[in-house]
């Protein structure tokens, strides 16, 4: 963006939002961000820790709940662009079972986008690869390695899929579908960003991202062992995702497009092994690959993290359906950061902000 603009971001307390905000402020723009509760500790800490340095002086934080219709038009009136990012990201069992997140995500998108239509020039919506990767509505869709690579024309099937793919995936798919229908009816310039697991450095100890929990637990020595079988997780660096949001605000090709943000699949144990030498001085106790499949299956009956691991392992053949994340490279002429940099910066940030000693 050449001239300085004002950008509105919903869900400023989020992991991804903090990186988007940082880029925009560093580019010299003004940012207005919404939080659910201005008096919350999360919001207080965001200001206190001075996450954005002196550029933070151009940041205005307001209170607004996406489930409330009121106040959004007034909040957006002085802004040129909107990035709608706030959406429930439930933890543990709720990720699969909390049906309320479906209505909250749709209602939130409706409240914010209805207020934005005719007010802002462009909207970027943070959707998810979860709205792409289950075209058959089955959890094993991602392990159908003989099928062609998934791309932006694929949509997760939501009908009768709840028991298979869970509430969160349905919430993201339905909210994105609603946004596209609405944009079409109002002639609104819309782009969606559909990232796989977002990992990378944390900007503040108070920002807790669900997608970082495995890396945090492993590097903090809170997991001793991982399954013997490799688990490949589709990932993308948070800074790449943030940059794609910012680029979408003004790039001429962006309106009307979905962009899958996906670099590659990574295996946590392999990656930690590669970084062993670099982090040796910290004497971190990283997990080993030693849990047999049957033990994990048993644990998954009682423990949510074991259940999540098992769902990522799929049918044990270690083969995954490829995901094509290249459209964003072609349109925006950008390259994904290498995995080793992402992982190193992520673990280093845990150390810098005092999460690991
Ligand atoms: P975070 O949990 O860190 O951020 C979610 C944000 O949404 C928080 O600011 C949260 O506010 C806000 N929020 C949730 N519910 C409401 C609500 N009812 N009203 C207002 N705000 C609400 O997650 P991420 O940064 O990881 O996620 C940001 C976006 O990216 C989400 O839309 C998520 O679905 C999407 N995404 C994330 C991926 C990942 O791997 N991290 C992958 C793909 C997509 P509060 O702090 O008050 O809870």
């Amino acid at each position: 963006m050449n001239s300085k603009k004002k950008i509105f971001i919903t869900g400023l307390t989020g992991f991804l939002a903090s990186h988007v905000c940082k880029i925009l402020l560093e580019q010299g723009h003004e940012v207005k961000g919404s939080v659910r509760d201005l008096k919350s500790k999360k919001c207080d800490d965001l200001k206190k820790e001075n996450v954005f340095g002196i550029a933070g002086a151009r940041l205005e934080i307001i209170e607004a709940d996406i489930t409330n219709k009121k106040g959004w038009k007034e909040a957006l009136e002085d802004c040129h662009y909107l990035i709608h990012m706030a959406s429930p990201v439930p933890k543990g069992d709720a990720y699969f079972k909390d049906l309320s997140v479906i209505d909250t995500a749709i209602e939130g998108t409706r409240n914010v986008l209805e207020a934005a239509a005719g007010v802002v020039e462009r909207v970027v919506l943070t959707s998810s690869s979860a709205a792409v990767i289950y075209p058959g509505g089955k959890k094993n869709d991602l392990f159908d390695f003989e099928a062609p690579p998934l791309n932006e024309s694929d949509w997760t099937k939501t009908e009768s899929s709840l028991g298979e793919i869970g509430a969160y995936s349905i919430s993201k798919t339905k909210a994105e579908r609603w946004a596209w229908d609405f944009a079409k009816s109002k002639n609104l310039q819309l782009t969606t960003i559909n990232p796989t697991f977002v990992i990378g450095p944390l900007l503040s100890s108070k920002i807790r991202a669900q997608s970082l929990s495995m890396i945090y637990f492993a590097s903090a020595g809170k997991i001793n062992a991982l399954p013997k079988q490799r688990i490949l997780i589709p990932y993308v660096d948070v800074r790449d995702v943030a940059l794609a949001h910012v680029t979408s605000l003004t790039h001429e090709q962006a309106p009307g497009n979905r962009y899958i943000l996906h670099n590659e699949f990574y295996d946590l144990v392999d990656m930690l092994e590669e970084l062993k030498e670099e982090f040796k001085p910290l004497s971190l106790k990283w997990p080993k690959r030693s849990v047999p499949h049957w033990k994990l299956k048993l644990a998954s009956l009682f423990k949510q993290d074991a259940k999540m691991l098992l769902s990522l392992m799929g049918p044990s053949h270690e083969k995954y359906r490829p995901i094509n994340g290249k459209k964003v490279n072609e349109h925006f002429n950008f390259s994904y950061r290498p995995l080793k940099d992402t992982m190193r910066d992520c673990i280093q940030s845990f150390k810098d902000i005092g999460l690991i000693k």
Side-chain angles (χ1 to χ4, degrees), residues 319-338:
K319 289 180 180 157
Y320 294 69
R321 183 169 177 180
I323 303 171
N324 185 342
K326 292 196 174 82
K327 178 172 158 185
V328 75
N329 303 132
E330 288 153 17
H331 282 203
F332 297 171
N333 191 25
F334 103 139
S335 322
Y336 290 109
R337 279 162 206 263

Side-chain angles (χ1 to χ4, degrees), residues 4 157 190:
K4 303 304 170 211
K157 185 177 160 215
L190 175 72

Side-chain angles (χ1 to χ4, degrees), residues 10-17 34-37 42 64-67 84-89 91 104 126-130 168 172 193-199 207-211:
T10 62
L12 193 70
T13 48
F15 169 48
L16 184 49
S34 67
V35 297
R36 269 196 269 196
D37 179 4
K42 241 181 183 178
D65 193 316
I66 54 168
T67 56
H84 177 45
M85 211 168 249
S87 199
V89 186
K91 294 185 175 57
T104 304
T126 317
S127 183
S128 168
S129 62
Y168 173 76
K172 295 304 286 183
I193 304 293
N194 300 63
T196 50
F197 274 88
V198 181
I199 61 173
I207 301 168
R208 291 291 165 91
Q210 178 76 341
S211 48

Side-chain angles (χ1 to χ4, degrees), residues 40-56:
S40 72
K41 183 149 174 30
K42 241 181 183 178
C43 178
D44 222 30
D45 289 332
L46 199 62
K47 288 186 271 181
K48 244 196 290 178
E49 285 193 4
N50 202 12
V51 174
F52 305 110
I54 49 165

